[in-house]
Amino acid sequence: MSTTLEPLESLAPTLSVRQVLMLERVLAGEPEVVAGAGQLDRAVRWVHVAEAADVGVMLSGGEMVLTTGVLLAGDDDKQAEYIRSLHRAEAAAVVLGLGRAFPAPPDVMRRAAERCGLPMVVLHRPFPFAELTEEVQARLIRRKFAVVSMSEAVRTALTGLITAGAPLQRMLDEIAHHSGCPVVVTNLAHRVLATAGERSAVDDVLRDWERIARQAGGSEGDGWIRAELGGRGERWGQIMLCGYRGDTATGRLLADRAAEALVLHRMLGGTSAHTWEEQSAQSLLTDLVSGVVPARQLLPRARAAGLPVNRRTFVPLVVRDGDPAELDRVLRMLGLPGIVAELADGATAVLLSLARDQDATVLTANFAARLSGTVVAAADPRTAWDDVPAGMREARHVADAVASGALDLPAVVRLKDVHLRGLIRLLRDDPHVQSFAERELDGLLRGAGADLLAVLRTYLATGRNKSRTAQLHHVSRPALYRRLEAIQGRLGVDLDDFEQAASVHIALLAHDAQQG
């Protein structure tokens, strides 16, 4: 399904008074604004020709009233009441054609219009009102039809994306395309869950998000248009068009269509606002770990996501085999500000944001103590946001080294705890290291050597402790001796020789790192 539709920003279901006065047919009448010049952006909903003094009773608001004033000439009271009647009916403007009734703009009407703030325009040349009525009303009908058609086209496009299983980000990109401005989805606490739009414009919005969030509950203005997200009596967020440049009514229509689609996306996809929070955290932490996006550019996203960033100590953590929901629950229980997101290969990243006077080591240990069956890899605390990506990569490196089989580690593992294993992990993709590992272990990598390789791994990891190795493999010591002899025969080494055992150990660490 094609979704390359025109942006809605240029389509407004109404014309302003200013736009009507700029029409070629109107310009031919030499229009002059004699009152209410500051109200020319009022919307014109319809055009109405009326001469009666009590014209207001026939109006419903938003009309541009055309008159020659033939029934008002010579009666100041009727002229003033005519203007007041239009004002009470919330007319958009009054256009007076100068001629026999009024050869010049009448002061009574002009002063009354100025007091009411009603735009009053006089035409200095004769002008057929029927042509203006036909021109404006034809334009209004076309615009209203175009807006309705575009609204349905947007709804169809978004529904098509949902049916195709498109992710949230693809939906928001489509909405941003049609709105021509940044789009932000938040939860009820105004924490940013997702964004779309031109990157620089989005960053500008997020940089000032605290002020914008405070105003989110107020009236719309200056292109800030929002729609509530929720259903079945439950609200769980909102979508905002930030700096929409088109007509406000069209922007509201677009925001409503977007909200409908996002709610449907949630219902059909079995997702929730909480899942969107997880996706937001995952995107942020993944970018921090990868280092592809400069840390300074990620700061507005972190702040908008609710992470405290001013004068803080950041503690990067990576937890192996941890449940993100459980980790988030533990953070909340301990009152630790932070974000949690699942990364690849079963790793979960956690970024703590602590006050400068808090003890990062103690709080990290408390966090790890609440987790069962997991090892927490930690980088040294960072006090500068720009250093956080390096810290996240350090924690990821430590977690990778732990995953390759280290034994007897503390609950919180740091770079100093992984020693040689950590170094080998860094060098695992070096061709020379790969060749060394293959050469040293060749005798166990072919045929029936896999079982012996496991025994060798345990033997070296326990510091060549034969009793412990036999216990872990549930074999007798004589059986273990026979296997160690077979290993030495296949590799052509003496494992009692420290240098030869160290060489085999390094090769085995490199092999395991490459396989991992």
Side-chain angles (χ1 to χ4, degrees):
M1 177 184 297
S2 174
T3 59
T4 56
L5 304 173
E6 292 298 321
L8 279 172
E9 63 183 57
S10 61
L11 293 175
T14 60
L15 291 168
S16 67
V17 175
R18 191 187 309 277
Q19 289 173 317
V20 172
L21 297 181
M22 294 303 294
L23 295 177
E24 186 175 349
R25 292 186 179 183
V26 180
L27 290 174
E30 297 182 8
E32 177 189 359
V33 179
V34 297
Q39 302 294 323
L40 296 183
D41 291 323
R42 283 183 173 183
V44 176
R45 187 183 60 82
W46 207 244
V47 178
H48 191 73
V49 180
E51 303 288 355
D54 60 349
V55 63
V57 299
M58 296 180 286
L59 305 179
S60 58
E63 294 90 351
M64 174 178 277
V65 177
L66 312 180
T67 183
T68 62
V70 65
L71 299 182
L72 305 174
D75 191 328
D76 290 352
D77 291 339
K78 284 186 177 181
Q79 293 173 27
E81 176 57 27
Y82 186 86
I83 295 298
R84 289 193 293 268
S85 177
L86 294 179
H87 172 64
R88 289 192 297 270
E90 299 182 349
V94 59
V95 177
L96 174 66
L98 299 181
R100 285 180 300 175
F102 290 104
D107 285 340
V108 172
M109 294 179 69
R110 182 185 58 77
R111 289 195 299 269
E114 194 65 51
R115 285 194 298 270
C116 293
L118 176 71
M120 179 176 174
V121 181
V122 297
L123 300 175
H124 289 275
R125 294 176 62 86
F127 185 89
F129 284 168
E131 291 186 8
L132 176 58
T133 301
E134 179 184 10
E135 172 84 8
V136 172
Q137 295 183 176
R139 287 174 178 263
L140 290 174
I141 291 172
R142 286 199 300 271
R143 282 172 173 255
K144 290 177 180 178
F145 178 77
V147 169
V148 171
S149 297
M150 183 62 77
S151 170
E152 290 307 307
V154 170
R155 173 186 279 155
T156 300
L158 294 177
T159 302
L161 290 175
I162 295 172
T163 304
L168 171 64
Q169 189 60 54
R170 179 67 185 88
M171 299 278 295
L172 295 181
D173 289 341
E174 186 75 9
I175 296 166
H177 164 70
H178 294 302
S179 66
C181 68
V183 175
V184 177
V185 174
T186 73
N187 61 14
L188 293 180
H190 304 302
R191 291 180 59 174
V192 174
L193 305 182
T195 63
E198 184 182 349
R199 190 70 259 166
S200 60
V202 171
D203 287 344
D204 287 342
V205 170
L206 296 184
R207 200 170 289 114
D208 198 26
W209 184 250
E210 291 183 6
R211 179 187 64 81
I212 294 171
R214 285 196 300 271
Q215 296 177 350
S219 59
E220 296 174 345
D222 299 326
W224 300 94
I225 300 173
R226 66 188 183 280
E228 299 296 332
L229 300 175
R232 299 174 182 173
E234 176 189 10
R235 290 175 53 245
W236 45 267
Q238 68 177 1
I239 180 171
M240 291 186 64
L241 308 185
C242 304
Y244 179 72
R245 296 187 298 275
D247 175 76
T248 299
T250 307
R252 287 200 194 99
L253 186 62
L254 177 57
D256 288 342
R257 293 292 171 268
E260 290 173 5
L262 294 184
V263 171
L264 183 61
H265 181 273
R266 172 189 174 186
M267 292 173 60
L268 296 182
T271 61
S272 65
H274 180 62
T275 301
W276 287 3
E277 288 179 341
E278 292 174 351
Q279 292 176 7
S280 174
Q282 184 179 46
S283 173
L284 174 60
L285 289 181
T286 299
D287 286 344
L288 280 170
V289 171
S290 69
V292 174
V293 182
R296 185 56 51 183
Q297 293 183 19
L298 297 174
L299 187 59
R301 286 170 57 187
R303 182 184 290 112
L307 186 73
V309 295
N310 295 330
R311 297 186 58 78
R312 307 292 288 186
T313 296
F314 302 101
V315 183
L317 308 173
V318 173
V319 181
R320 277 286 171 188
D321 302 319
D323 177 15
E326 174 64 14
L327 299 182
D328 187 62
R329 187 191 67 79
V330 172
L331 284 184
R332 296 175 187 275
M333 181 182 68
L334 296 176
L336 298 178
I339 51 178
V340 179
E342 186 174 3
L343 303 178
D345 303 326
T348 300
V350 180
L351 180 60
L352 301 181
S353 175
L354 308 177
R356 292 284 176 88
D357 58 355
Q358 291 181 294
D359 191 322
T361 301
V362 171
L363 292 176
T364 302
N366 289 343
F367 173 69
R370 298 298 194 282
L371 308 176
S372 59
T374 60
V375 176
V376 177
D380 291 334
R382 264 63 175 176
T383 56
W385 175 259
D386 287 347
D387 295 334
V388 170
M392 294 302 305
R393 289 192 290 275
E394 178 183 317
R396 181 66 182 270
H397 163 63
V398 173
D400 286 346
V402 171
S404 63
L407 301 177
D408 301 324
L409 290 171
V412 179
V413 186
R414 304 183 187 278
L415 193 59
K416 63 182 180 61
D417 298 314
V418 296
H419 306 296
L420 179 61
R421 190 180 302 275
L423 175 63
I424 295 300
R425 197 74 187 176
L426 288 175
L427 300 176
R428 63 180 174 177
D429 295 327
D430 187 298
H432 297 291
V433 174
Q434 294 173 357
S435 176
F436 169 76
E438 292 288 326
R439 185 173 62 251
E440 288 289 299
L441 301 175
D442 182 63
L444 297 181
L445 297 179
R446 293 177 286 105
D451 291 340
L452 295 178
L453 194 66
V455 172
L456 174 63
R457 183 180 293 108
T458 305
Y459 180 61
L460 296 175
T462 59
R464 295 183 293 173
N465 186 318
K466 294 183 176 65
S467 296
R468 180 63 174 154
T469 302
Q471 181 184 20
L472 290 173
H473 283 271
H474 307 290
V475 297
S476 64
R477 286 177 64 92
L480 176 66
Y481 294 155
R482 289 193 295 273
R483 295 185 185 187
L484 292 176
E485 290 174 359
I487 291 171
Q488 293 180 106
R490 282 173 172 263
L491 298 182
V493 299
D494 179 4
L495 293 178
D496 289 331
D497 180 87
F498 175 78
E499 183 175 341
Q500 293 183 54
S503 180
V504 172
H505 195 184
I506 291 171
L508 184 58
L509 290 176
H511 170 76
D512 288 346
Q514 292 156 16
Q515 297 301 311

